[in-house]
Structure formats: structure tokens, C-alpha cells
Amino acid sequence: MLDWEQLAEYHKALGDKTRLRILSLLRTEDLCVCELVELLKMTQPAVSQHMRKLKNAKLVKERRQGKWVFYSLDGSMFPFFQEFLKTLPDTSKEIEELKANGLKVVCD
Amino acid sequence: MLDWEQLAEYHKALGDKTRLRILSLLRTEDLCVCELVELLKMTQPAVSQHMRKLKNAKLVKERRQGKWVFYSLDGSMFPFFQEFLKTLPDTSKEIEELKANGLKVVCD
DNA sequence: ATAAAATATAAAGATATGCTTATATTATAA
DNA sequence: TTATAATATAAGCATATCTTTATATTTTAT
């Protein structure tokens, strides 16, 4: 079961606007770090460190695909996480725009 | 609707073990500050400051009763809050013990 | 084998957080 | 009205967090 530590870490991970935006974006589709850098207009190390926090809190999973690392939503440990995701502001247009600008990564 | 700011504030408020314990305790019954001081073994200002954070995040409500201020659960803005509360470790025995020690406040 | 691209890690600085001590409010009781 | 109890606020300090710059790692392409 969940203990105090895990529950606090979960909420700390979500206590940041940038990470909330990242999770909202991942609802639309899996994204790699360089795509998130474009979407968030942040430096690459900043994004990587946010992803580490989300990963440590078990909210995202990573998979290596060629030279890219793609992140996807997880959160299966937290029964309220799915409900929470639904309440996030919609960011799907930002991903449409990314594609329109030809910045979506194509693997092989 | 909820915006990024409110959602981040909500999660920041829950990103602390002490505040998680407080919310778990409030599931059993409303409590005043001096009772929480006893239960948490913390100084009164420390508790008051935690309650302010929870109040600002709209997770608790306060009501004055004589010289005491009682706090109760709220969180009605956040549809996932009720589900989350269910996952907190049980603390009801701590309140039983408080009563056994004669430290429950009686108003009037 | 080397170079380039994507990502991760580390160090450093600025801001935020949580606790303590001291002081101010507010409400009851004497 | 003065004293006391409960709570809140403020200042100060230690620790944590977030961002940046610099560097390391990993994978692919040449």
C-alpha cells in the first residue's frame, strides 16, 4: 500500500506548473525530451530534471527508441491519478502546432 | 474551472507528510489547533502555518468556536480529492488515544 | 573510429519551504 | 478591565527546489 513518503512524493511531483503541463501534454501522446524542450520553451537539462522527478514519483515511464527517450504516462499506483488527469487544462493544440511546424520526431 | 496555479497549489499543499497526517486526522473528526499540536507533537506556530497552507489551497475550512478554531475537510473544488483521502493511512487510533488521555477539547 | 545528436548529471546561484523563537490578536474568565 | 488561553503573524535560519551553464553518457551516422 501507499505510505506517507510515497504520497508526499507524488504530490511534490505535481506541485509545479511545468510538470503539470508536461503531464497534460503526455495525455495526447508520448513525447521525447527534445519535443518537450520545444513545447515548453525550456532548456534541455531543465526538462530532463523534471522528467526525473516524474519518473521517481512513478508518474511516467520512459522507453529508449534509437537516440530518443520517450516518456509516457503511468501513475498506476495512484488510484486517483486518472481522475486528476482529466481536470488538467487542455494542451492538445500545442501538439498540433508542434506537428504543423514539422518538429515532431520521426523514429526511423 | 481549475487553472494551472490552483492545481499546483493544491499539490504543493499535499506535498508534505505533516499536512497529509493532518488531513487523515480530520477524516475522523474536526479538530482545533491545540488538539493538532498534541497529536502531531509540534509547536503551535508550526501547526498554524500548515493550516494556513491547507486553507489557502481550499482543502480545509475553519470555524471559530469560542476561543478555539476548528478545522474541517473541504476540497470540494477538486473532484479527485475524496478518492485521494481514502488512500491515506489510517490515523483514527491516534484520536482515540487523544480522547483516552482526556485531551479532547470540550467547548462550553 | 570519430563526429554529431539526444539525453543525463553535476555544480552553482536564486527563490521557496518548514521550523523555531518572539510578538501580536482575539475571545473568554476573573 | 485586566489577565489568561488559543491562535495567528513575523523574522530568522536551515534545507529543498528550480533554473542555468558546463560536462558526461549513449546512440547513430559517417
Side-chain angles (χ1 to χ4, degrees), chain A residues 2-99:
Chain A
L2 298 168
D3 59 26
W4 299 113
E5 191 63 45
Q6 289 173 311
L7 284 163
E9 193 186 3
Y10 167 89
H11 286 96
K12 272 183 209 170
L14 297 182
D16 178 276
K17 284 185 224 171
T18 298
R19 288 193 289 272
L20 293 178
R21 281 190 66 202
I22 291 171
L23 292 174
S24 176
L25 290 163
L26 290 177
R27 288 183 306 185
T28 300
E29 62 189 60
D30 298 356
L31 295 166
C32 68
V33 177
C34 64
E35 290 170 333
L36 286 166
V37 166
E38 264 306 315
L39 288 159
L40 302 167
K41 309 293 182 204
M42 291 183 69
T43 64
Q44 175 268 315
V47 172
S48 277
Q49 291 176 59
H50 282 303
M51 298 321 290
R52 180 166 49 185
K53 284 223 164 190
L54 290 171
K55 194 177 60 174
N56 288 342
K58 311 264 191 242
L59 296 179
V60 301
K61 281 183 171 162
E62 69 181 13
R63 73 168 188 283
R64 181 124 223 161
Q65 192 147 350
K67 54 187 166 181
W68 297 280
V69 174
F70 280 83
Y71 286 93
S72 56
L73 291 175
D74 182 11
S76 50
M77 299 179 63
F78 306 98
F80 39 83
F81 185 58
Q82 291 301 320
E83 270 309 307
F84 153 72
L85 284 176
K86 293 180 192 163
T87 67
L88 285 170
D90 181 51
T91 51
S92 55
K93 292 209 177 94
E94 300 178 33
I95 293 189
E96 284 177 37
E97 199 178 340
L98 182 80
K99 290 177 179 173

Side-chain angles (χ1 to χ4, degrees), chain B residues 1-3 5-14 19 23 26 49-62 71-82 84-85:
Chain B
M1 291 308 293
L2 298 167
D3 59 28
E5 191 64 45
Q6 288 173 308
L7 284 164
E9 193 185 3
Y10 167 89
H11 287 96
K12 272 184 210 171
L14 297 182
R19 288 192 291 273
L23 293 174
L26 291 177
Q49 286 168 39
H50 282 303
M51 298 321 290
R52 180 167 49 186
K53 284 223 165 189
L54 290 171
K55 194 176 61 173
N56 288 342
K58 310 265 190 242
L59 295 179
V60 301
K61 281 183 172 162
E62 67 179 14
Y71 287 93
S72 56
L73 291 174
D74 182 11
S76 51
M77 299 179 64
F78 306 98
F80 39 85
F81 184 60
Q82 291 301 321
F84 153 72
L85 284 175

